[in-house]
Amino acid sequence: QVQLEESGGGLVQPGGSLRLSCAASGLTLDYYAIGWFRQAPGKEREGISCISDSKDGSTYYADSVKGRFTISRDNAKNTVYLQMNSPQPEDTAVYYCAAGSWCSDYDQPPLYEFDYWGRGTQVTVSS
């Protein structure tokens, strides 16, 4: 059974840092592109970052997080991370990871092209 599980969410102060993890079971993550998405209350789910499979090495960041968030993978732990530096209140959302087939340096696939999803972890940025 394929399962993705996000962890590491919580309450963080503006300007702090937080690292989200996306751990997989039943799936070898280094063969997949992994995307991070978020959904704020009353808003649509949006893609914010992705990393291609291990053969490619491409990473993509939406303008809203570029320069503040970093995506990485640890194949030995079958885990992908999203390091959130200097988060702001507008980053408050439920964060999801998903496994799909591609990611490029210039674009992230739409939601429907991702095959497997986690259940999400809440991130709240507030003082």
Side-chain angles (χ1 to χ4, degrees):
Q1 181 180 358
V2 174
Q3 186 174 1
L4 297 179
E5 184 173 6
E6 303 90 344
S7 62
L11 176 65
V12 61
Q13 291 188 342
S17 64
L18 202 64
R19 189 177 77 164
L20 305 183
S21 299
C22 173
S25 57
L27 190 72
T28 303
L29 287 187
D30 61 343
Y31 297 150
Y32 288 83
I34 304 300
W36 281 98
F37 298 79
R38 67 186 181 186
Q39 188 165 18
K43 294 189 177 181
E44 294 185 353
R45 193 172 299 188
E46 61 169 344
I48 57 171
S49 182
C50 66
I51 186 168
S52 63
D53 63 41
S54 295
K55 292 187 299 183
D56 188 317
S58 297
T59 57
Y60 166 82
Y61 299 95
D63 288 343
S64 57
V65 305
K66 194 176 296 181
R68 301 186 298 122
F69 293 7
T70 303
I71 192 170
S72 63
R73 61 165 75 239
D74 185 335
N75 292 335
K77 295 183 178 180
N78 210 28
T79 299
V80 171
Y81 302 99
L82 185 71
Q83 178 69 40
M84 303 172 62
N85 293 333
S86 192
Q88 300 301 313
E90 53 266 33
D91 295 316
T92 295
V94 178
Y95 283 70
Y96 302 88
C97 65
S101 61
W102 66 270
C103 169
S104 78
D105 291 332
Y106 309 104
D107 200 5
Q108 178 169 4
L111 275 69
Y112 60 83
E113 291 196 20
F114 284 85
D115 301 314
Y116 306 103
W117 288 83
R119 294 188 175 185
T121 185
Q122 175 70 46
V123 173
T124 301
V125 185
S126 175
S127 56

